[in-house]
Amino acid sequence: MAALLYRLGRLAFRRRWTVALVWAAVLAAVGLAGMTAPEAEEEPFSMPGIESQEAFDLMEERFPGAAADGATARVVFVSPNGEKVTATENKKAVEAAIAELGDGTQVASTVDPYESGAVSEDGSTAYTTVTYKVDAAGLTDASHSHLDESLEHARDSGLTVEAGGDAMADMGGPSGTAEAIGISVAAVVLLITFGSLAAAGLPLLTALIGVGISLFAITALAGPLGLADTTSTVAIMLGLAVGIDYALFIVSRYREERAKGRAPQEAVALATGTAGSAVVFAGLTVFIALAGLSVVGIPMLTEMGLGAAGAVVVGVLIALTLVPALLGFWPNATLTRKDRKAHRAGGTPRETRKVNGGTRWASFVLRRPLPVLLAAVAGLGALALPMTDLQLGMPGDEAMSTETTQRRAYDALAEGFGPGFNGPLTVVVDAKDTDDPKAAAETVSERIGDTEGVVSVSPAQFNESGDTAVFSVVPTTAPTDQETKDLVNTIRGDRPGIESEVGATFEVTGTTAMNIDISEKVQSALVPYLLVVVGLAVILLLVVFRSILVPLKAAAGFLLSVLASLGAVVVVFQQGHGADLLGVETTGPIMSLMPIFLVGIVFGLAMDYEVFLVSRMREAYVHGERPAQAVTSGFQHSARVVVAAALIMIAVFSGFIGDSDAMIKMIGFGLASAVLLDAFVVRMAIVPAVLALLGERAWWLPKWLDRILPRVDVEGEALTRPTEPEARPAEKDLTRA
């Protein structure tokens, strides 16, 4: 591996114009394809293998043309000062508002609350549902503006008017604020780390090129493959983070080799052969973690995982080819000021094995490994304890800020009609094989209506064939309450007896039931996913480090950090401790996809730090250093760069904490805290402590396993002898920067 990448880096340096032009052509080609690609149609959310999705599919089959996926806006009217919405003036204002709402070009229908009975018992609140001909993604700016203007006109009458529903969702693309924050902080971190504008700018430039290629490619494929917007968002996030990190490691190793007196071409080749090997295997672990999301069986996660995995592959290829080529154009620009002065003076910089922060920290841990290990494990364990209280769900409007109309509409409906009104269940009765479908539907409705925890059941609505009925069930509790989940399980548990009585089948669906089913599916998929991803990564690390204990230690450390970060998410977003500091106004269940999403992304990134840090220790050990000395050497060369890489990741993810959307806050906080804990607690404390305690045993591998494992030479052992300066004719430094 090292020898192959050595030759690749050397070739990229020598053929730098060709390499640069090839990447420019790739960027131009995918850019043209992305800009000329037809706009992708928003695919409806789908979750195969759960009851609520099967019921929804049955509704679409039996009620054709019913626009089941059409966008809706639920507009709530609240009378002022204790008045009633049924009062003459208020009623006129409500009816005028409904008429104006119905004039929209994309509006399919509106409902009169006075005819449909959508008025609260105390007469203070009424609501209407505006149904559109298209889904939320298909709503035009004109439709959004018409809805907003209609609400403002209704408010002029003195009524409190709020609106919720998917038609109110912000359909604009990502603002780019989080990415801008991440890039800005990354630039500062790189500048401090390298002390050179060129060295700081090169990783940023190559990362942006990689992200551009990935984004345009996803845009071009979005139409044919039906990719969602979230695919590109996650690809940007991870492509930017790993693209900067991978280039950072190549540039850092290049500067190190130049400091040893090597000529630019040789230094580039060595950096690509050694640090490049770590980049390849780190990229493979990230790829495995992201591509492994496809085993969960959730289409949205599969798309997000594969899209981000593709962005990581592009980042690896750019780090191995474009970065060496750019170093060939400006071989001295990335060096420290002292080294540049030495080259301008015609001399050669002298390598100094100085004591830095990394060596001092490693020495501290090596002197007291057991206390450091126990303190780190105890701290992570304490943070992980709240995980035992983890409750999964899909927060809706109730999790939004009270400054939004969606949240105020949610609260008004809960106050006027009860908390369960915001999350009704939908029951689909398939009476195709019964003699009296209406009687069967009525019996099912009565039995469910008698269930404890049910407030009301709406009249059944039949399709044109008269063989399928649909009715709504309003629970007594809010959509995200545990009691609502228990109610759904109770109804489904009573189903066999009811179905045998009426001779028809029924299923429970609706947004609330869908969220409950998704949570259960994710929980059941988490363990198999962990086994697949961690198992493959352990095998990969076994090949890289030729050790049994180091990969197992890496996997155990990751599990500790991810459980601790999930515990931190529970503490803030579910239990509410410190929620005010992040602007979280309402606590509740953790987003269902959060744990598996966090595991997938953080596992890959955690293995990045493991490979980069421990590969330098392994390299030093293979080249003759004692285990403790090898740990110190690894920290001397890699600690500062790993810290910089982690700070960049944290900056990118922390930018999302400032988002107004509670779910985006949760993702940003979870990822930032996971990287923080993994990089600074696991990799910087637990890893050296464990290696110090194990000593020689850390690198033990059975002879029979050593014989069958492929040799990849990540340490660059094959390059050591021929690449010593005295063993190779000095190459002329043709370019001065």
Side-chain angles (χ1 to χ4, degrees), residues 590-613:
I590 305 304
M591 185 179 65
S592 299
L593 301 181
M594 179 68 184
I596 206 158
F597 182 75
L598 187 71
V599 167
I601 292 180
V602 175
F603 181 79
L605 300 181
M607 293 304 104
D608 268 7
Y609 306 135
E610 177 75 14
V611 171
F612 286 126
L613 185 61

Side-chain angles (χ1 to χ4, degrees), residues 353-361 632 635-640:
R353 188 178 177 88
K354 62 181 180 180
V355 176
N356 56 23
T359 57
R360 285 191 291 268
W361 172 252
T632 303
F635 269 81
Q636 179 194 8
H637 295 297
S638 298
R640 186 177 65 164

Side-chain angles (χ1 to χ4, degrees), residues 487-512:
L487 174 62
V488 172
N489 292 332
T490 298
I491 293 174
R492 289 172 173 171
D494 295 340
R495 179 165 45 198
I498 299 174
E499 289 181 343
S500 63
E501 177 184 350
V502 301
T505 61
F506 70 88
E507 294 175 316
V508 182
T509 186
T511 302
T512 301

Side-chain angles (χ1 to χ4, degrees), residues 394-401 406-407 410-411 479-480 585-586 589:
M394 292 293 285
D397 290 347
E398 78 281 0
M400 301 184 73
S401 168
Q406 295 98 314
R407 170 62 185 278
Y410 179 95
D411 292 341
T480 57
E585 299 185 12
T586 302

Side-chain angles (χ1 to χ4, degrees), residues 429-431 434-447 460 462 466-469 471 498-499 501-504:
V429 182
D430 184 359
T434 62
D435 297 330
D436 191 349
K438 289 187 177 181
E442 288 177 2
T443 302
V444 173
S445 177
E446 290 174 1
R447 296 289 185 275
F462 284 83
D467 58 7
T468 307
F471 60 85
I498 299 174
E499 289 181 343
E501 177 184 350
V502 301

Side-chain angles (χ1 to χ4, degrees), residues 32 47 66 174 189 276 304 340 349 354 390 416 422 463 512 647 694:
L32 180 63
M47 186 66 62
V189 171
M304 290 165 57
R340 290 199 300 272
K354 62 181 180 180
L390 176 67
N422 283 297
N463 62 345
T512 301
L647 289 175
L694 291 176

